[in-house]
Amino acid sequence: MLALLTLPLALALAGYAFTVWKARAIERQFPNIGERIDVGGVSLNSVLVPAGMNADLPPLVFIHGASGNLRDQMHAFRDKLNGRAAMLFLDRPGHGYSDRGGPENGWPDGQARAIARLMEKRGLDRAIIVGHSFGGAIAASFALEHPEKTAGLLFLAPATHPWPGGIDWYYDVAKMPVIGWLFTRIVALPAGLLRIGRGTRFVFAPNPRPDDYVAATAPALVLRPDAFRNNAADVANLLEYVRRIQPRYRQIRAPTVVVTGDADGVVYEEIHSRGLARDIAGSELVWIRNLGHKPDYVVTDLAVEALEKIAGKVRDLQESARRAEARLARDHEE
């Protein structure tokens, strides 16, 4: 009987010790590459890439999705847009190397307000707001809360509307007061490390994941206990939030493009992307066959064209989408 009681305790202590050690190792492997700035009692981490002398686009603010950090969008867009615009890549509150702040930052509108304050600190008056996945809900909230700061909106495979069903079980467990604390400090990190490869390939599917993606974008940062719990709370709060906020999307007047694929295994593109195109007057939906959840990586050039169109340049995004589909079809055949 004593052995039966001792074994679970020993396993729990081993999991806790491993989590403490590995979380520090992850931070050594992926140190902070940004600057932490106080935005009113909470410090947000960000990288500001200045515009070049011949910049032809307004400032751009990139908001990453669930389980992410600023490296994700920066790896996709920085080189493609270098010099053309001031670019602000940020860790959302409680992610990467940003503080969580108060309970309001567990909701998209609270995070949008924190991002607006960060823009002010960074000297950006107005910007095109780019939101991927969960970041789409924050981008929509930003446009509602801060229309004067919103030069336009680019949604990439967004999560913005009420959907049927729920969320993965581990989000509900991780956000619980006591059990969640234990779960994130004993189980989540070692289990998460085993799933990073498979999980990131799933996010890209049916498109291939870039070989350097895991090393370049540091998804392991979300496995640290506090980050994991913050991410879980964000995801757990989203459905209730979009039920409340979605009717207000009709108030958005900013130029808007929504880029999505019909093979997204993470969010319901028929609900979210078509919903945004319906709700935001004058928005353009760019629907791409055989594209998964990562248009920021798989059709980056098209996303850049969308930014150009939002900024007032003449671009045929539907024709670009057909070219992207042809390329994806060729890639699939190979």
Side-chain angles (χ1 to χ4, degrees), residues 170-185:
Y170 51 83
Y171 291 124
D172 285 322
V173 172
K175 71 182 179 67
M176 296 173 69
V178 176
I179 294 174
W181 189 95
L182 293 170
F183 178 77
T184 57
R185 283 158 174 80

Side-chain angles (χ1 to χ4, degrees), residues 74-298:
M74 191 163 70
H75 188 50
F77 287 107
R78 181 172 184 167
D79 289 346
K80 291 281 187 179
L81 289 162
N82 197 36
R84 298 189 61 188
M87 293 180 281
L88 182 62
F89 301 95
L90 59 97
D91 288 331
R92 294 195 285 108
H95 297 258
Y97 287 93
S98 285
D99 296 340
R100 180 59 158 184
E104 70 277 5
N105 287 340
W107 303 87
D109 53 355
Q111 295 194 21
R113 287 190 288 272
I115 292 168
R117 294 193 296 270
L118 177 64
M119 284 177 59
E120 293 170 1
K121 293 279 188 172
R122 286 295 203 173
L124 303 179
D125 295 327
R126 296 179 77 240
I128 296 175
I129 311 300
V130 183
H132 171 249
S133 192
F134 188 101
I138 299 171
S141 293
F142 188 97
L144 289 169
E145 296 270 341
H146 307 282
E148 75 288 352
K149 295 182 180 295
T150 308
L153 295 166
L154 175 57
F155 294 97
L156 302 171
T160 51
H161 284 62
W163 67 90
I167 57 176
D168 289 328
W169 64 269
Y170 51 83
Y171 291 124
D172 285 322
V173 172
K175 71 182 179 67
M176 296 173 69
V178 176
I179 294 174
W181 189 95
L182 293 170
F183 178 77
T184 57
R185 283 158 174 80
I186 296 173
V187 178
L189 192 150
L193 288 175
L194 295 174
R195 296 190 64 215
I196 278 185
R198 182 176 58 188
T200 52
R201 283 190 291 271
F202 173 77
V203 170
F204 274 86
N207 315 118
R209 185 198 69 190
D211 292 338
D212 67 344
Y213 180 77
V214 172
T217 65
L221 286 171
V222 78
L223 299 178
R224 297 169 300 163
D226 288 340
F228 197 95
R229 292 196 75 192
N230 293 334
N231 188 59
D234 287 353
V235 174
N237 288 341
L238 184 61
L239 182 56
E240 175 189 340
Y241 178 80
V242 295
R243 282 175 178 153
R244 287 190 285 110
I245 203 69
Q246 180 262 324
R248 293 185 56 203
Y249 291 162
R250 297 182 185 278
Q251 301 172 20
I252 295 174
R253 296 292 179 264
T256 299
V257 173
V258 183
V259 179
T260 196
D262 73 345
D264 193 326
V266 178
V267 301
Y268 293 103
E269 66 274 8
E270 290 280 358
I271 293 174
H272 303 285
S273 294
R274 289 199 186 279
L276 281 172
R278 177 196 65 228
D279 292 345
I280 302 178
S283 62
E284 180 173 0
L285 175 62
V286 184
W287 188 272
I288 303 171
R289 290 188 294 272
N290 297 317
L291 172 66
H293 191 58
K294 292 295 281 178
D296 43 345
Y297 280 81
V298 180

